[in-house]
Amino acid sequence: MKYVLVTGGVVSGLGKGVTASSIGVVLKACGLRITSIKIDPYLNTDAGTMSPFEHGEVFVLDDGGEVDLDLGNYERFLDIKLTRDNNITTGKIYQSVIDKERRGEYLGKTVQVVPHITNAIQEWIERVAMIPVDGKEGPADVCVIELGGTIGDIESMPFIEALGQFSYRVGPGNFCLVHVSLVPVLNVVGEQKTKPTQHSVRGLRGLGLTPNILACRSTKELEDNVKEKLSQFCHVPAVNIVTLYDVSNIWRIPLLLRDQKAHEAILKVLNLDRVESIAQEPKLDEWVARASIFDALQDTVRIAMVGKYTGLSDSYLSVLKALLHASVDCRRKLVVDWVASTDLEDSTAIEAPDAYKAAWDLLKIAVVEFARHVMNLTDANSTEFDPDTKTPCVIFMPEGSKTHMGATMRLGSRRTFFKVADCKSAKLYGNVTYVDERHRHRYEVNPNMVPEFENAGLQFVGKDDTGRRMEIIEIPNHRYFVGAQFHPEFKSRPSKPSPLFVGLVAAASGQLDRVLQDCCNGHVVPAKPILSNGSYNPTAHQNGHPKVLANGLSNGTYYANGNGVHA
């Protein structure tokens, strides 16, 4: 097993996750099998109870693991399925060590950070790296490890020590350290400054880790003299210094690495540069085409997005990515209209009537809205919002816990069976009989009210294996009124957009009939042609559709709320 460790310095938010994912993409394009591990130094055992304001969205895996959003980047970029153990936290490590101590496995020894905690970290990495995540048998060739936080953080110290020991443990030729750092440009002098990176690398070396490759974040490509200076002071060959400068879209990051021969440097450090079965030039034609298509998009599609944490877009990262995948698939430029859920509350009508009106003009909410304004049940509500409501359309799951927060939701992959064959959802999924999608919710549609809803025209086209849990709703004659109890965004990939999101974007841009027909035929034809070289010709085919705002009962919108129901 070969290991690539990605660390960060100077400041947080440099894009270590995207860098680690892109490294994986480039190595995969060389013919290697890749797996990934994210290390988060916080004490929480997982991300399940953390506020999105603190840490961005909680990404959900097939096995129900609530993990860091960077694992979503790994899955989307590499098209793999990770496990909860691919996300290591301080809490998990300490819990495992304490459990061993309670069982007497340390034979009465004094349990310490070194060697017990550091050994536990190394053993965890070695164990998880062997788990296949690409659907094939046997372990991957390379494990890409991302260490969260920045070098010098006190909570990262046990992991730094463990990884230093680990590099010695696996030996030369099996460990490559990529350090992501910042090279700022001061407006006063207008030159790229290397001192922050120098200090960061010096701190890293002082902790026992020596970088093999520097990935420098900057607004523009590094100048040659800057590279030479970094090489001299950081003891890294100039050919092993790459610039991750600002680009038009995220799909160009792997192309940046390829163009600067980062794969050659990594393969050389890992003693893979002379292996005949490994391609020395990554095959990234699909990424080139996708990045080119995105940059050439002109016709827009507008989607309303309502949520509690609209002040931080990372809170809904997977939703935004799924919308992006779908919009590119439909050859549309995505425009998101954010709606703060607090603007929809009755109190806002008094305190800020303009914000209240604007929010409700954009959005109406699915099951509760249908009950109130179609079925005339004016007091219909969710028990999450009103525990004493006389018309509980959405209720707390019977097996849920109201006292414990962590891992008490309905989590992970669950099977949904289509009960109505001739519905939009089934067609979008290719007329399959069932789908496996990921869940994360405590509340669900009240099964006792299902007959009333269906008599009023709302169809529950997808249910779980018991037939009691409502998974997908539709209004048959509506252009696109589709709701799902599960989170389809978690399985969306750039090359395989989520079908329900494709349907939403297609409906909002006047393409739904074509998409449904294509899905029924077992394939999806691009809305606009791609040239043979992978580029996109914006003038070859123009539908001329006006901008469409997908909103509420009239047009179909996507919204996110606390009970995980989407429409």
Side-chain angles (χ1 to χ4, degrees):
M1 176 67 69
K2 308 285 186 177
Y3 298 90
V4 176
L5 172 63
V6 178
T7 60
V10 184
V11 295
S12 60
L14 287 178
K16 293 191 304 301
V18 174
T19 302
S21 302
S22 299
I23 288 171
V25 167
V26 175
L27 294 179
K28 182 179 179 181
C30 290
L32 293 163
R33 293 174 61 198
I34 310 297
T35 186
S36 295
I37 292 175
K38 172 67 188 297
I39 297 175
D40 283 302
Y42 49 70
L43 279 170
N44 307 61
T45 56
D46 59 38
T49 58
M50 298 176 71
S51 166
F53 282 134
E54 290 266 337
H55 206 66
E57 76 166 5
V58 177
F59 190 78
V60 179
L61 302 171
D62 264 12
D63 65 2
E66 297 174 287
V67 296
D68 182 80
L69 58 83
D70 281 319
L71 274 78
N73 282 326
Y74 305 156
E75 286 206 342
R76 285 187 289 268
F77 270 53
L78 298 168
D79 194 17
I80 56 179
K81 290 183 179 180
L82 300 172
T83 71
R84 66 177 73 236
D85 286 349
N86 288 82
N87 193 186
I88 304 174
T89 69
T90 298
K92 285 181 179 179
I93 294 295
Y94 274 78
Q95 189 172 57
S96 69
V97 169
I98 291 171
D99 288 345
K100 281 186 177 181
E101 186 273 332
R102 292 289 84 186
R103 293 194 299 267
E105 293 186 24
Y106 295 118
L107 304 177
K109 290 185 177 294
T110 302
V111 180
Q112 298 174 291
V113 173
V114 181
H116 300 99
I117 294 296
T118 53
N119 283 349
I121 293 168
Q122 295 175 68
E123 290 162 5
W124 192 300
I125 290 172
E126 283 190 320
R127 174 176 60 84
V128 174
M130 301 300 289
I131 300 173
V133 295
D134 57 3
K136 301 176 183 177
E137 293 184 359
D141 301 307
V142 179
C143 178
V144 180
I145 306 167
E146 178 195 346
L147 176 61
T150 56
I151 296 302
D153 293 347
I154 190 169
E155 61 264 30
S156 299
M157 292 304 180
F159 292 100
I160 294 288
E161 175 62 29
L163 290 164
Q165 294 178 18
F166 189 69
S167 66
Y168 178 77
R169 179 174 179 166
V170 299
N174 294 316
F175 189 89
C176 177
L177 174 52
V178 180
H179 188 58
V180 183
S181 186
L182 178 68
V183 178
V185 176
L186 300 182
N187 292 332
V188 179
V189 291
E191 65 174 324
Q192 296 172 326
K193 308 299 290 185
T194 65
K195 194 64 72 176
T197 298
Q198 290 182 45
H199 286 306
S200 180
V201 171
R202 186 177 297 119
L204 188 61
R205 290 167 63 89
L207 294 170
L209 285 170
T210 300
N212 302 104
I213 295 169
L214 289 181
C216 299
R217 285 286 288 115
S218 189
T219 54
K220 296 181 180 179
E221 191 171 0
L222 289 187
E223 299 168 6
D224 289 341
N225 66 308
V226 174
K227 276 191 176 183
E228 291 297 332
K229 191 173 182 180
L230 284 171
S231 175
Q232 179 181 4
F233 286 97
C234 297
H235 304 176
V236 175
V239 292
N240 286 16
I241 300 175
V242 298
T243 320
L244 300 178
Y245 54 86
D246 295 347
V247 289
S248 56
N249 66 74
I250 197 173
W251 296 318
R252 292 201 176 276
I253 304 298
L255 307 182
L256 277 185
L257 294 175
R258 178 204 61 181
D259 294 344
Q260 297 176 71
K261 306 297 184 184
H263 57 287
E264 292 183 3
I266 295 172
L267 292 175
K268 186 174 182 180
V269 173
L270 296 177
N271 287 341
L272 295 172
D273 54 326
R274 297 182 182 179
V275 179
E276 292 184 3
S277 61
I278 297 174
Q280 299 303 306
E281 189 62 29
K283 298 178 181 179
L284 292 169
D285 294 348
E286 180 186 329
W287 288 80
V288 172
R290 188 182 301 115
S292 301
I293 290 168
F294 178 88
D295 289 343
L297 293 175
Q298 294 178 354
D299 296 339
T300 60
V301 58
R302 304 183 71 90
I303 302 293
M305 174 70 188
V306 62
K308 182 179 179 181
Y309 309 101
T310 54
L312 180 65
S313 60
D314 270 4
S315 301
Y316 304 104
L317 185 62
S318 290
V319 175
L320 294 176
K321 294 299 182 185
L323 286 170
L324 179 63
H325 301 162
S327 62
V328 171
D329 191 70
C330 292
R331 303 301 184 263
R332 288 293 185 270
K333 188 174 183 178
L334 177 65
V335 178
V336 176
D337 291 313
W338 291 95
V339 180
S341 56
T342 51
D343 289 348
L344 301 169
E345 296 176 359
D346 293 340
S347 58
T348 308
I350 301 172
E351 298 168 2
D354 291 342
Y356 180 82
K357 182 179 183 302
W360 276 108
D361 284 346
L362 279 175
L363 185 83
K364 302 292 181 183
I365 294 176
V367 173
V368 173
E369 178 66 22
F370 188 90
R372 289 177 180 176
H373 294 91
V374 176
M375 300 167 66
N376 295 318
L377 301 173
T378 56
D379 58 348
N381 212 331
S382 165
T383 57
E384 180 182 14
F385 310 131
D386 181 6
D388 300 320
T389 178
K390 296 179 181 178
T391 312
C393 298
V394 178
I395 61 172
F396 194 82
M397 293 189 310
E399 69 270 38
S401 171
K402 293 188 177 182
T403 58
H404 289 74
M405 297 288 288
T408 57
M409 296 185 182
R410 186 167 181 248
L411 290 163
S413 183
R414 297 286 195 279
R415 184 156 291 180
T416 294
F417 292 87
F418 288 105
K419 301 299 183 181
V420 179
D422 187 26
C423 64
K424 293 182 177 68
S425 302
K427 291 178 181 177
L428 287 167
Y429 277 102
N431 287 325
V432 295
T433 56
Y434 64 83
V435 292
D436 294 320
E437 292 281 9
R438 298 176 183 178
H439 292 65
R440 185 176 189 258
H441 62 98
R442 287 190 178 90
Y443 290 81
E444 62 186 6
V445 174
N446 186 348
N448 296 328
M449 290 190 66
V450 167
E452 293 179 63
F453 280 114
E454 291 187 325
N455 289 336
L458 187 66
Q459 272 193 339
F460 292 88
V461 301
K463 300 180 182 180
D464 75 344
D465 56 351
T466 68
R468 288 278 297 170
R469 283 210 159 100
M470 304 302 110
E471 294 281 5
I472 306 175
I473 58 170
E474 289 190 17
I475 296 179
N477 297 323
H478 191 281
R479 181 172 60 165
Y480 196 78
F481 188 101
V482 176
Q485 180 69 67
F486 50 77
H487 289 256
E489 67 271 19
F490 289 139
K491 294 182 72 171
S492 183
R493 305 286 183 263
S495 58
K496 293 181 288 187
S498 167
L500 295 188
F501 280 89
V502 171
L504 172 62
V505 173
S509 55
Q511 303 179 59
L512 184 58
D513 290 341
R514 176 194 62 80
V515 168
L516 290 175
Q517 184 61 47
D518 293 338
C519 290
C520 288
N521 293 335
H523 65 280
V524 177
V525 179
K528 295 185 178 180
I530 304 173
L531 301 182
S532 58
N533 63 1
S535 63
Y536 162 60
N537 183 355
T539 61
H541 179 63
Q542 292 286 351
N543 290 333
H545 290 294
K547 296 178 181 178
V548 178
L549 172 62
N551 65 346
L553 292 175
S554 59
N555 294 328
T557 189
Y558 183 96
Y559 77 90
N561 69 4
N563 57 33
V565 180
H566 314 291

